[in-house]
Amino acid sequence: MKKYSIVVAGGGSTFTPGIALMLLEQSHRFPIRKIKFYDNDEKRQEVIAKACEIYFKENAPEVEFSYTTDPKEAFTDIDFVMAHIRVGKYEMREKDEKIPLKYGVVGQETCGPGGIAYGMRSIGGIIELIDYMEEYSPNAWMLNYSNPAAIVAEATQRLRPDSKILNICDMPVDIEEKMANMVGLKSRKEMDVQYYGLNHFGWWHKIYDKEGNDLMPEIKKHVAENGFAGAISETNQHVEASWVDTFRKAKDVFAVDPTTIPNTYLKYYFFPDYVVEHSNPEYTRANEVMEHREKNIFKVCNEIIEKGTAEGAPFEADAHASYIVDLACAIAKNTKEKMLLIVPNDGAIVNFDSTAMVEIPCIVGSNGYERIVQGEIPRFQKGLMEQQVAVEKLTVEAWIEGSYYKLWQAMTLSKVVPSASVAKSILDDMIEANKGYWPELK
Ligand code: NAD
Ligand code: G6P
Ligand code: MN
């Protein structure tokens, strides 16, 4: 069997150990000859990488492991780039969340003004990774799950339309696991789903089992009563109180349109008043993540380094992330697996902007993806999506053109922002906070 060489971009990410261990766990179907970590923060990456190096030596000495901040070294001789960078790190995520809240507006990593601000930082970072990949390994594919995926996907489509990059999100994976659990199936892979929307902004409209039986009635019954709460999925990622609330709140999101099953992220657009009321402007999700996930990962890694061994360390593979291996396998082995990807619409949602980057099921193989047509969508979803896609496109245009007005328009148009004046106040604070990360706006 062919063995693959991978670079993990964002080697210092809190998700890197879980993904690296998951890759080892899945090596029976996706064999690896080389894993490299790449990051532009040498110190941060070093802690994660040294611990992983010890783990690899002990558990997979046959895999060549290395880490670097040098793009040439990182991107030479690779088959896949697995990209999960966070430009500005948690320090900037905290500002994305807290600045809007100062004005009584939803403060969220990928939704509303926070997502727009994060997008303005991410575009340059991702384009840089694509260019390194194409310079040093022109046949490689980039599997990107860096956020905000909707804006990143729109930007790469605009700026690098021919590049081999696939954008994917894990939220539907987790929700599908929960839905499978609701109907007594072992895995989401025992279901056939139809889904349409934008990233973090979509709906399931058909769900069948492998015999073709309609699972929607039973799933709807559960969601109408409990949202996604009370259903189990494998991930240990979405478990804290704020996530539990999000899964429960899906009940109210569902009530607005009981013909479809909503993505959890619609909570921010349908119930921004509720979200703001339940937010603490002094302590947001970024603080929660820094105090829990980040602290914990770095503590475990430092202990492994001090002891010189990973034996007995609470270092776990992130099984939930195996969808990334599904995607890599689809390309490497032409498996033609059906997966939700973020791709140019191009007629798949018949009555929607053909240039929009939509999240829909695709068949993935060694030559890329084929879209599965979702047909016409209802006026409610279409109206919401048109507004949101305009926000995303205006953000990317603002980045490309350095346009203050387009970014102000993007923020004004965001469903969670009440007025152009509030949009302007948030924008002006964001410009100040993002100095050195955003292009200069005129
Ligand atoms: P993190 O801050 O712990 O890690 C991100 C790393 O990226 C940092 O080490 C940072 O130094 C590095 N980085 C930043 N800019 C870079 C650049 N230009 N080049 C190279 N490296 C750079 O963040 P995290 O919480 O672990 O999340 C990582 C990313 O994964 C985020 O974008 C997050 O939103 C995303 N994510 C996406 C999904 C999904 O479903 N799509 C799921 C989970 C996380
Ligand atoms: C889900 C989303 C990701 C997002 C993550 C945030 O998995 O699909 O796009 O990055 O949640 O999780 P966090 O624990 O960092 O708040
Ligand atoms: Mn996501």
Side-chain angles (χ1 to χ4, degrees), residues 12 113 121 171 269 275 304 343 348:
R121 293 195 304 277
M171 196 72 249
Y269 301 94
V275 169
I304 292 175
V343 296

Side-chain angles (χ1 to χ4, degrees), residues 40 84-93 96 117-126 128 146-147 434 436-438:
N40 63 1
H84 55 217
I85 61 168
R86 182 188 293 284
V87 179
K89 293 171 275 194
Y90 292 128
E91 188 194 338
M92 292 307 294
R93 175 176 180 174
D96 293 342
Y118 186 11
M120 290 289 285
R121 293 195 304 277
S122 291
I123 297 171
I126 296 290
E128 193 177 84
S146 311
N147 271 316
N434 281 279
Y437 288 112
W438 286 8

Side-chain angles (χ1 to χ4, degrees), residues 145 147 149 168-172 199-200 265:
Y145 34 100
N147 271 316
I168 191 161
C169 169
D170 71 346
M171 196 72 249
N199 177 239
H200 290 185
Y265 278 90

